[in-house]
Amino acid sequence: MTNKTDRIIIFDTTLRDGEQCPGATLNIDEKLVIAKQLARLGVDIIEAGFAYASPGDFEAVSKIAKIVGTENGPVICSLARAIKADIEAAAEALKPAVNARIHTFISTSDIHLEYQLRKSRAEVLAIAQEMVAYAKSFMTDVEFSPMDAARTDPEFLYQVLEGAIAAGATTVNIPDTVGYTTPSEFGAIIKGIIENVPNIDQAIISVHGHNDLGLAVANFLEAVKNGARQLECTINGIGERAGNASLEELVMALHVRRQYFNPYLGRPVDSQESLTNIDTRQIYKTSRLVSNLTGMLVQANKAIVGANAFAHESGIHQDGVLKNRLTYEIMDAKLIGLTDNQIVLGKHSGRNAFRTRLKELGFELSDTELNKAFVRFKDVADKKKEISDWDLEAIVNDEIQQAPDLFRVELVQVSCGSNARPTATVTLRTPNGEELTDAAIGTGPVDAVYKAINRVVNVPNELIEFSVQSVTGGIDALGEVTIRLRYESRVFSGHAANTDIIVASAQAYVNALNRLYSALQSQEKQEEVSAQKV
Ligand code: KIV
Ligand code: ZN
């Protein structure tokens, strides 16, 4: 293998580093839904999780390896510390994948060595080599990351990389773990590696970076110019702290500006060939799916996928765009899969028309999912005359989300107004099938509903984020509610769409409570198992 590939490899870590951000926790079925969509998007490698971290992580990696890691599918990867037990768990979980990769890492910066690892450079060098060789005994595709590489002494970095490649690493990843570097600095680090690591031609150079200073994407593009050929990124840029480099921004920068980047990849300036394998028309849908399932909202002015990314507000801009789109637009919204939001279906549309339009929009649903979505569609169409593509997308995303079905909202009724004390009555079906009704007074109708729900569910929590967005314009629009709540130090999210925003609010809250409740149940089970072992 050589680091001179003439295209950019996209390594998606939404399900590993992305999921590490507070509240973005996904269950196994949700991870699988996202992994399938990432495969449709065309990512080359899916980092499906950290198999050793928990039984749930192990199962998710293993399930994705089996279902998505097919012959023509992406490479499925698991993260592993440079520790034998981690590497063994990764190898075991990845067994069902046709193409699998172990990604092992150890810190190399002096600050991490001194305060976190409490090991000498010589010890770290030896561990890196030994553990890469150990990973190699399970599979040929092994990636090694010297964590905090951007703050590592370059001479030591070269030494560790040389050792890892000699031990069998086929990809060496250079993480800017704390989001500290700047574009020219990062470019120089990659250049230095190419010039000073004697066996670098036997590995692909990858980059990984966090967005603490908002520079992750710029850093990666500079790294590409200097020889990096794999980019580790996440959908919507989610991840630890300020997140990771965003996949959609990187891919579209490389696509829109391919004439600029072509020569760095040894291509003719005018080559129209794509620099990545990504099907850009799947970008918007993937972004919405990840946002809905993780509860991580996309800011309106976010590049590429934000609600305002293609909106022109000022008169001068609107005038220009009407005369010729290219006056103020550098890319067509259709390129990322944003449709014209046609009004397509209505109350009289049948299952066939529904199925056909979903197919055209790129949704591949199982029969059960289709049936569930169709029932919802009929319900929405009864209240809303015209159903657009965006409504359909919201309905499907809502129906295929996999929040555990423990408590279910059976009834929500509110009474509120300028001279009334907001009062809510709710009926929930509990996990053991009982129907419980309670009522509460609140500062507003949503507060009253949440108080009534809390009286039934009875798990203390703090609501930390509540957001309502309308899917389309119009008074009868579907409202999407996203909430995040905190239980001790953990954050759980919930999402729901309905023409009635009070009902959507109740459903989103119950979704989040179901995630919390299910986490408490698994914690209890684990504690029971540990108690039995003692
Ligand atoms: O940020 C980081 O350094 C990481 C490594 C595990 C690659 O996520
Ligand atoms: Zn990271």
Side-chain angles (χ1 to χ4, degrees):
M1 219 185 276
T2 158
N3 64 339
K4 295 278 180 277
T5 59
D6 70 348
R7 77 170 177 88
I8 301 296
I9 299 164
I10 298 293
F11 176 112
D12 181 277
T13 184
T14 306
L15 297 175
R16 198 278 297 171
D17 215 334
E19 209 227 2
Q20 279 174 223
C21 66
T25 319
L26 297 159
N27 63 38
I28 294 170
D29 292 330
E30 288 168 338
K31 286 185 184 176
L32 189 60
V33 170
I34 293 179
K36 285 182 185 168
Q37 179 56 28
L38 291 173
R40 261 176 240 129
L41 177 67
V43 307
D44 299 287
I45 298 137
I46 295 178
E47 189 163 49
F50 189 166
Y52 186 77
S54 72
D57 266 53
F58 183 94
E59 202 186 328
V61 174
S62 174
K63 221 168 173 179
I64 292 170
K66 183 166 173 213
I67 298 171
V68 186
T70 53
E71 181 84 52
N72 298 317
V75 174
I76 309 298
C77 172
S78 171
L79 187 69
R81 288 169 300 177
I83 294 176
K84 276 191 171 174
D86 274 41
I87 293 171
E88 284 157 13
E92 185 61 31
L94 289 168
K95 263 188 187 159
V98 177
N99 300 301
R101 170 182 297 187
I102 293 176
H103 174 194
T104 188
F105 72 97
I106 189 165
S107 287
T108 48
S109 65
D110 286 339
I111 187 165
H112 280 211
L113 263 58
E114 187 178 343
Y115 295 102
Q116 199 181 15
L117 290 184
R118 297 181 192 282
K119 291 196 187 310
S120 67
R121 286 186 178 184
E123 283 171 308
V124 166
L125 179 60
I127 294 170
Q129 277 183 279
E130 198 190 325
M131 289 303 115
V132 168
Y134 191 54
K136 197 77 180 177
S137 70
F138 293 99
M139 59 189 69
T140 50
D141 191 346
V142 173
E143 173 170 330
F144 170 72
S145 289
M147 187 147 98
D148 205 14
R151 293 192 301 171
T152 297
D153 167 34
E155 291 306 322
F156 182 52
L157 183 63
Y158 304 149
Q159 242 185 318
V160 177
L161 294 177
E162 184 182 353
I165 296 169
T170 40
T171 298
V172 284
N173 180 43
I174 312 303
D176 176 23
T177 305
V178 291
Y180 180 72
T181 198
T182 65
S184 55
E185 236 174 36
F186 204 44
I189 291 175
I190 304 302
K191 187 165 180 277
I193 289 170
I194 291 181
E195 286 168 357
N196 293 288
V197 177
N199 51 3
I200 196 66
D201 61 330
Q202 291 164 37
I204 300 278
I205 299 180
S206 166
V207 286
H208 177 109
H210 288 266
N211 209 23
D212 299 66
L213 295 174
L215 294 172
V217 168
N219 290 338
F220 278 28
L221 295 175
E222 205 55 31
V224 165
K225 286 164 61 182
N226 284 280
R229 291 295 174 263
Q230 175 179 289
L231 307 181
E232 300 202 353
C233 43
T234 62
I235 302 296
N236 300 334
I238 64 170
E240 284 270 0
R241 306 183 309 278
N244 287 66
S246 129
L247 180 146
E248 58 280 1
E249 291 176 22
L250 286 165
V251 167
M252 291 314 288
L254 290 169
H255 186 76
V256 173
R257 299 304 311 276
R258 55 193 183 282
Q259 293 199 335
Y260 175 77
F261 288 103
N262 275 336
Y264 294 103
L265 283 102
R267 299 177 177 206
V269 175
D270 290 333
S271 168
Q272 291 302 317
E273 222 183 296
S274 202
L275 290 174
T276 69
N277 265 354
I278 297 295
D279 176 356
T280 61
R281 288 159 310 167
Q282 293 288 333
I283 284 180
Y284 184 68
K285 176 138 50 83
T286 316
S287 161
R288 293 273 299 162
L289 180 71
V290 169
S291 171
N292 286 346
L293 294 184
T294 57
M296 299 291 296
L297 291 176
V298 173
Q299 79 202 47
N301 62 332
K302 160 94 173 61
I304 317 295
V305 290
N308 294 351
F310 293 92
H312 299 279
E313 197 60 34
S314 94
I316 296 178
H317 286 209
Q318 284 175 353
D319 174 63
V321 167
L322 286 174
K323 288 174 177 148
N324 181 338
R325 296 202 81 82
L326 296 180
T327 50
Y328 289 95
E329 266 185 18
I330 58 164
M331 59 193 148
D332 186 338
K334 288 198 186 96
L335 252 182
I336 63 151
L338 253 173
T339 60
D340 288 335
N341 193 27
Q342 304 162 46
I343 306 299
V344 278
L345 301 175
K347 165 171 154 164
H348 300 296
S349 309
R351 184 185 297 264
N352 233 346
F354 179 69
R355 186 204 305 266
T356 307
R357 188 59 196 150
L358 286 185
K359 245 192 160 159
E360 283 164 6
L361 290 174
F363 286 104
E364 284 168 30
L365 302 190
S366 67
D367 284 347
T368 325
E369 285 169 340
L370 188 89
N371 287 344
K372 265 176 89 187
F374 187 65
V375 171
R376 266 303 297 285
F377 160 72
K378 279 292 186 188
D379 183 43
V380 175
D382 260 345
K383 297 173 184 140
K384 190 175 187 301
K385 250 191 6 233
E386 295 169 325
I387 305 288
S388 70
D389 285 342
W390 295 356
D391 294 321
L392 281 181
E393 188 205 39
I395 293 169
V396 172
N397 278 343
D398 208 36
E399 278 309 309
I400 61 176
Q401 73 171 318
Q402 314 279 337
D405 199 11
L406 296 165
F407 290 91
R408 184 180 287 181
V409 180
E410 297 291 347
L411 172 134
V412 185
Q413 210 176 328
V414 292
S415 139
C416 58
S418 55
N419 288 323
R421 296 193 68 189
T423 311
T425 306
V426 298
T427 302
L428 299 188
R429 197 167 50 72
T430 67
N432 46 25
E434 253 181 297
E435 281 203 357
L436 295 181
T437 300
D438 218 319
I441 291 172
T443 51
V446 174
D447 185 47
V449 167
Y450 284 14
K451 284 195 169 121
I453 290 175
N454 279 335
R455 288 171 68 95
V456 176
V457 177
N458 210 8
V459 179
N461 68 85
E462 183 197 349
L463 184 69
I464 52 173
E465 199 176 306
F466 172 84
S467 131
V468 189
Q469 285 177 326
S470 88
V471 173
T472 51
I475 198 72
D476 62 351
L478 270 177
E480 283 188 305
V481 175
T482 306
I483 70 128
R484 283 146 74 74
L485 55 85
R486 186 179 288 129
Y487 172 82
E488 295 177 347
S489 59
R490 283 184 288 172
V491 176
F492 298 87
S493 70
H495 174 91
N498 201 292
T499 45
D500 183 324
I501 56 162
I502 303 293
V503 176
S505 304
Q507 282 164 342
Y509 191 48
V510 168
N511 273 347
L513 287 173
N514 279 339
R515 287 172 203 269
L516 159 57
Y517 201 79
S518 144
L520 292 180
Q521 281 181 328
S522 2
Q523 193 177 317
E524 253 170 45
K525 260 190 222 150
Q526 265 175 13
E527 280 164 7
E528 263 171 42
V529 173
S530 328
Q532 279 161 8
K533 279 187 191 155
V534 174

